[in-house]
Amino acid sequence: MEILIIDAQGGGIGKQLVLEINKNFKNVNITAVGTNSVSTTNMLKAGADCAATGENAVVVGCRKADIIIGPVGIVIADSMYGEITPKMAEAIGQSSAKKLLIPVNHCNNVIVGVENQKMTFFISAAIEELKKCFNS
């Protein structure tokens, strides 16, 4: 199973995802792609199998992934303070991979009906959804 984790800014969400996936799953390959070197480095330090940075890494990673996980902003062009390019959002949106998106209400993108929760709640929910992917 090829899991692609995409994150921006400091890579905090991606780092938490890598840690939890490694704790809960065996025989998965985690590729971490950051929009900048800080986010990439933090996900790699957390235990990603491989990592890359930037727009083309997102585009290529989306072709190979079975599952893409990241904050919802990864599918919104110019979100995350401009770190998500239109080409990145398009590649993610058009990928045939299943997408598990973490609801984060930032940068004028508000997901109506989703209560503000601690990030640990959303990470746990993503892991539970990922478990369903393995059971289907």
Side-chain angles (χ1 to χ4, degrees), residues 13 20 44 48 54-55 85 92 104:
I13 293 171
E20 288 299 314
L44 192 57
E55 182 179 78
T85 67
I92 297 161
V104 180

Side-chain angles (χ1 to χ4, degrees), residues 51-90:
T53 303
E55 182 179 78
N56 199 56
V58 170
V59 172
V60 172
C62 287
R63 286 187 220 137
K64 299 177 180 181
D66 296 308
I67 299 172
I68 299 170
I69 310 175
V72 69
I74 65 174
V75 296
I76 302 170
D78 299 330
S79 68
M80 300 176 128
Y81 299 104
E83 290 189 34
I84 300 298
T85 67
K87 192 171 180 180
M88 289 173 169
E90 180 179 34

Side-chain angles (χ1 to χ4, degrees), residues 47-133:
D49 296 298
C50 55
T53 303
E55 182 179 78
N56 199 56
V58 170
V59 172
V60 172
C62 287
R63 286 187 220 137
K64 299 177 180 181
D66 296 308
I67 299 172
I68 299 170
I69 310 175
V72 69
I74 65 174
V75 296
I76 302 170
D78 299 330
S79 68
M80 300 176 128
Y81 299 104
E83 290 189 34
I84 300 298
T85 67
K87 192 171 180 180
M88 289 173 169
E90 180 179 34
I92 297 161
Q94 291 181 347
S95 173
S96 62
K98 183 169 189 126
K99 294 149 201 84
L100 303 181
L101 303 173
I102 310 283
V104 180
N105 293 328
H106 287 295
C107 305
N108 291 328
N109 296 307
V110 177
I111 303 165
V112 177
V114 175
E115 294 181 34
N116 279 335
Q117 298 279 349
K118 293 184 184 238
M119 188 50 61
T120 54
F121 171 83
F122 292 124
I123 299 295
S124 294
I127 297 302
E128 290 305 311
E129 193 64 34
L130 188 56
K131 287 177 181 176
K132 292 178 188 175
C133 294

Side-chain angles (χ1 to χ4, degrees), residues 16-77:
Q16 290 177 62
L17 286 165
V18 170
L19 290 169
E20 288 299 314
I21 291 169
N22 279 330
K23 188 165 62 172
N24 286 278
F25 301 95
K26 304 295 181 223
N27 300 320
V28 298
N29 185 59
I30 301 172
T31 299
V33 175
T35 59
N36 61 66
S37 60
V38 173
S39 59
T40 304
T41 299
N42 283 331
M43 291 186 285
L44 192 57
K45 285 181 182 177
D49 296 298
C50 55
T53 303
E55 182 179 78
N56 199 56
V58 170
V59 172
V60 172
C62 287
R63 286 187 220 137
K64 299 177 180 181
D66 296 308
I67 299 172
I68 299 170
I69 310 175
V72 69
I74 65 174
V75 296
I76 302 170

